[in-house]
Amino acid sequence: MNNITIIGLQWGDEGKGKVVDFFAPEFDINCRFQGGPNAGHTVWRGKEKFVFHQIPSGVLNKNITAVIGAGCVFDPAIFFEEIEQLKKFDEEIEKRIKISKYCHLIMPYHILLDKIKEETTQSIGTTKKGIGIAYEDKYARIGIRVGDLFYPEVFEKKLRANISRKNLILMDIYQAEPLSDDEIFERFLEYGEKLKPFIIDDSVFLSQVMKEKRIIFEGAQGTLLDIDFGTYPYVTASHTIAGGACIGLGVSPGYINRIIGVAKSYTTRVGNGPLPTEDKGEIGERLRSLGSEYGATTGRPRRCGPFDASVVRYAARISGAQELFLTKLDVLKEFEKIKIAVGYSNAPEFDPFIADALNPVYEEIPGFKRDISRIRDFDDLPVEAKEYIKLIEHYTGLNVKYISVGSQPDEVVIKN
């Protein structure tokens, strides 16, 4: 058994989609264990770009069966749109996609309330896809799961009770128009019929194949967005760390035997919340421009700044990552000098409770000023690039095993 878990070690957008796609040819199953269509994992095939929101991002490899696990929240409309896009690559791709019957559904009232909250009372920079509100209902024990769709009487009872609650909020607090029970009921019953071929009990399915199949566990967002260990309250609503794979798929921790952390060669964040190394001047703007740093789901410009070693060290400790897949090193080729945050002047370690007040201390080295996208051998990298990688290893305590030097699947340097 040699399963791997891919975990983002920053605020998401680290390049997990490419990393999963890179490993996928050697695996059989790719499982997403948390999050929803707020994810935006990008995979390239030549000049064609695929953005995965709910479906695991290794599924372009035809050996892969993709599983959307119980820890995810699920929007049927977005799922079927995503399927249609992927059919352009593989007409029979839906035969290789499975959905846990335990997934909680994102309902129209979740999306509406998310948009209203973001635009009025409680903006934390969400994607307005209803993810946080769906998780709220899950933990309030009033959520509706995919499996409920196959029991119309049960589903109808839960739905009408929920819409009554939500309509009170919409009308009394936000002065919004009420939602229609009947329209939503009929629409989701139709979704249920279309979803039947995809539905599994993910815990049973994985327990049956675990001994003979190789599995990639894939997180949707980065560690610093974890509901407990991230920069709360500016976080997502689920567990993005390696332990979340067990909870979100119903598998034993014994199956999580290799954890690979993913970090960008600099730091980015979409939405509101602390970002200690954010650069609002020339460096940040150049990183955004050269790295095409715009959200894959929303198109929002990402906030950018130098690599923060303390953040990555903190995230790696929580998930137990010992290897680092460093992405977008090629973006730094335009810089005369490269900065790395090695600590803080006002704190010994990264602390999410005071993240907005941390004052980074930087080291600066010469840039490599060379196109590295064609390089595949670590020894062929410029001396300055290797020095930068050595600094990252020193200050994070991680072994930089893989270095992405371009967007294509084969544009990776493996360091022995």
Side-chain angles (χ1 to χ4, degrees):
M1 180 182 69
N2 191 19
N3 304 321
I4 62 172
T5 304
I6 306 300
I7 297 295
L9 300 183
Q10 294 163 315
W11 279 272
D13 310 308
E14 299 96 346
K16 295 184 291 298
K18 171 177 175 165
V19 172
V20 170
D21 184 53
F22 172 78
F23 286 111
E26 304 300 321
F27 287 78
D28 306 296
I29 298 172
N30 178 196
C31 303
R32 179 77 67 82
F33 60 83
Q34 53 80 213
N38 52 342
H41 292 184
T42 302
V43 173
W44 289 87
R45 286 291 185 274
K47 294 183 179 180
E48 191 160 11
K49 177 181 177 181
F50 296 87
V51 179
F52 292 87
H53 298 290
Q54 297 184 117
I55 297 170
S57 44
V59 77
L60 294 184
N61 297 271
K62 295 185 179 181
N63 51 294
I64 286 288
T65 296
V67 177
I68 301 172
C72 300
V73 288
F74 182 77
D75 185 325
I78 292 177
F79 172 74
F80 287 116
E81 288 175 6
E82 203 167 341
I83 287 284
E84 290 305 310
Q85 291 298 314
L86 292 175
K87 279 184 178 179
K88 297 174 184 177
F89 181 81
D90 176 3
E91 288 185 358
E92 297 187 334
I93 201 165
E94 58 196 287
K95 294 180 180 179
R96 297 187 286 109
I97 298 172
K98 309 293 182 185
I99 304 164
S100 171
K101 66 181 181 180
Y102 297 105
C103 282
H104 277 252
L105 287 164
I106 300 171
M107 303 301 291
Y109 46 79
H110 295 138
I111 298 168
L112 180 56
L113 283 167
D114 194 2
K115 289 178 180 177
I116 290 172
K117 283 188 175 183
E118 279 295 306
E119 293 166 4
T120 55
T121 60
Q122 189 189 6
S123 176
I124 61 171
T126 77
T127 57
K128 302 180 185 178
K129 301 290 185 182
I131 281 74
I133 312 298
Y135 276 114
E136 283 182 19
D137 278 6
K138 174 178 178 175
Y139 290 108
R141 297 181 291 279
I142 58 171
I144 299 174
R145 295 185 288 183
V146 171
D148 289 320
L149 298 178
F150 309 121
Y151 304 94
E153 291 183 5
V154 173
F155 169 55
E156 183 175 15
K157 183 178 179 181
K158 291 182 177 182
L159 176 67
R160 295 197 189 282
N162 275 358
I163 289 183
S164 294
R165 295 185 189 102
K166 303 306 181 186
N167 277 343
L168 282 174
I169 295 170
L170 288 168
M171 292 186 293
D172 291 353
I173 298 177
Y174 298 113
Q175 287 76 54
E177 291 294 319
L179 294 164
S180 165
D181 300 39
D182 293 337
E183 189 276 328
I184 295 173
F185 177 67
E186 294 298 330
R187 190 195 329 165
F188 275 78
L189 282 185
E190 290 178 12
Y191 285 146
E193 286 300 313
K194 292 176 67 176
L195 287 170
K196 277 183 179 178
F198 299 95
I199 303 306
I200 60 168
D201 182 320
D202 44 341
S203 180
V204 171
F205 173 78
L206 293 173
S207 68
Q208 291 171 342
V209 302
M210 193 69 76
K211 292 182 180 179
E212 58 190 48
K213 301 290 187 181
R214 300 187 69 200
I215 302 173
I216 304 175
F217 301 108
E218 172 189 356
Q221 283 88 27
T223 296
L224 276 298
L225 295 176
D226 184 87
I227 186 66
D228 284 333
F229 298 101
T231 46
Y232 187 90
Y234 300 96
V235 293
T236 196
S238 55
H239 292 292
T240 64
I241 61 178
C246 306
I247 299 167
L249 292 161
V251 299
S252 163
Y255 292 124
I256 310 296
N257 61 334
R258 186 183 176 200
I259 300 165
I260 300 174
V262 186
K264 210 173 275 183
S265 298
Y266 45 99
T267 308
T268 65
R269 175 169 195 165
V270 171
N272 301 332
L275 186 63
T277 63
E278 181 176 10
D279 188 292
K280 297 181 180 180
E282 181 185 356
I283 291 175
E285 184 54 45
R286 290 186 71 198
L287 287 170
R288 186 179 303 111
S289 175
L290 295 168
S292 298
E293 296 296 348
Y294 297 88
T297 298
T298 63
R300 291 179 295 177
R302 295 179 183 135
R303 300 152 60 195
C304 302
F307 187 91
D308 191 329
S310 299
V311 162
V312 172
R313 186 169 64 244
Y314 168 88
R317 173 175 57 78
I318 290 169
S319 283
Q322 295 180 322
E323 300 172 73
L324 182 59
F325 199 125
L326 192 67
T327 62
K328 287 199 167 183
L329 184 64
D330 52 301
V331 172
L332 300 181
K333 69 181 180 182
E334 299 291 333
F335 288 82
E336 293 286 346
K337 294 183 179 181
I338 303 173
K339 292 169 66 175
I340 175 173
V342 299
Y344 311 104
S345 63
N346 58 341
E349 294 286 345
F350 177 79
D351 183 345
F353 283 88
I354 56 168
D356 57 352
L358 293 171
N359 184 25
V361 174
Y362 295 98
E363 284 192 20
E364 191 172 67
I365 63 170
F368 47 89
K369 296 292 290 180
R370 177 179 155 196
D371 182 7
I372 59 173
S373 62
R374 295 182 182 274
I375 294 175
R376 299 294 177 268
D377 190 319
F378 181 78
D379 291 335
D380 294 336
L381 285 172
V383 172
E384 297 85 355
K386 287 189 279 190
E387 179 62 25
Y388 183 58
I389 291 166
K390 188 186 297 183
L391 277 177
I392 288 175
E393 289 184 322
H394 174 72
Y395 284 109
T396 64
L398 300 172
N399 172 30
V400 177
K401 176 71 174 175
Y402 307 92
I403 304 109
S404 175
V405 293
S407 61
Q408 296 301 318
D410 65 332
E411 291 178 332
V412 174
V413 173
I414 302 176
K415 183 168 73 70
N416 295 322

